């Protein structure tokens, strides 16, 4: 049995220690906003915020989470920065298919929490999630809008 703090709530989960955090979120706890994309940490659809850092949850064994605080897309609007990011995403009309967008929003929120006034270079370095629809220009515009 492991205890995880997710979106401010403690959850006791009975899973193998090497179970990826992504599967605990989706399959055990029903938090399906975090998406499964590639399973190898490349695409970023599974991005959550783990103690302030954008983290690919498909690559994190649950046993390694320890006492870290996990934030998922389900609670991002409760954070002032996350709320601004979501508003910018809607305002700029970033999503097309939308599949990668929860991970994109999480990565953008983590960036702006750490660096409230990022340069275009900072945005390029932080926003490494893949988007099949190619909305990268809109994503960068939304990050700049949320930072303003």
């Amino acid at each position: 049995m492991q205890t995880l703090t997710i979106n401010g709530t403690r959850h006791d989960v009975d899973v193998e220690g090497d179970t990826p955090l992504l599967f605990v979120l989706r399959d055990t706890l029903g938090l399906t906003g975090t998406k499964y994309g590639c399973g190898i940490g490349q695409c970023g659809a599974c991005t959550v915020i783990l103690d302030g850092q954008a983290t690919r949850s498909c690559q994190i064994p649950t046993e390694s989470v320890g006492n870290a605080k996990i934030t998922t897309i389900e609670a991002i609007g409760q954070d002032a920065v996350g709320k601004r990011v979501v508003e910018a995403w809607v305002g700029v009309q970033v999503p097309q298919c939308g599949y990668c967008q929860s991970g994109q929003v999480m990565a953008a929120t983590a960036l702006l929490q750490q660096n409230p006034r990022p340069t275009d270079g900072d945005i390029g370095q932080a926003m490494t999630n893949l988007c099949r629809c190619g909305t990268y220009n809109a994503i960068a515009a939304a990050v700049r809008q949320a930072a303003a």
Side-chain angles (χ1 to χ4, degrees):
M1 188 71 67
Q2 298 175 65
T3 301
L4 302 173
T5 303
I6 303 166
N7 301 330
T9 302
R10 290 173 52 97
H11 297 272
D12 292 322
V13 294
D14 188 13
V15 297
E16 296 294 323
D18 63 350
T19 303
L21 177 59
L22 172 64
F23 298 142
V24 173
L25 294 172
R26 291 185 58 79
D27 301 336
T28 304
L29 299 175
L31 298 171
T32 57
T34 303
K35 303 299 183 199
Y36 177 87
C38 65
I40 59 172
Q42 296 298 308
C43 74
C46 67
T47 302
V48 298
I49 298 175
L50 184 69
D51 272 351
Q53 298 294 315
T55 304
R56 309 282 166 96
S57 64
C58 72
Q59 296 298 293
I60 300 297
T62 303
E63 66 191 354
S64 72
V65 172
N67 294 324
K69 291 181 174 72
I70 303 159
T71 304
T72 69
I73 192 70
E74 285 85 359
I76 204 64
Q78 296 171 11
D79 177 85
V81 174
K83 183 176 180 181
R84 280 198 330 267
V85 169
V86 170
E87 289 169 353
W89 241 248
V90 172
V92 175
Q93 298 180 351
V94 173
Q96 285 185 25
C97 85
Y99 194 82
C100 70
Q101 295 306 310
S102 63
Q104 301 279 6
V105 166
M106 299 306 290
T109 301
L111 166 63
L112 294 176
Q113 286 173 338
Q114 295 171 14
N115 181 357
R117 300 284 182 242
T119 65
D120 285 345
D122 296 333
I123 293 169
Q125 284 186 322
M127 300 303 297
T128 60
N129 295 18
L130 300 179
C131 175
R132 288 180 252 175
C133 301
T135 64
Y136 299 111
N137 290 334
I139 289 167
V143 172
R144 285 190 295 274
Q145 181 176 316

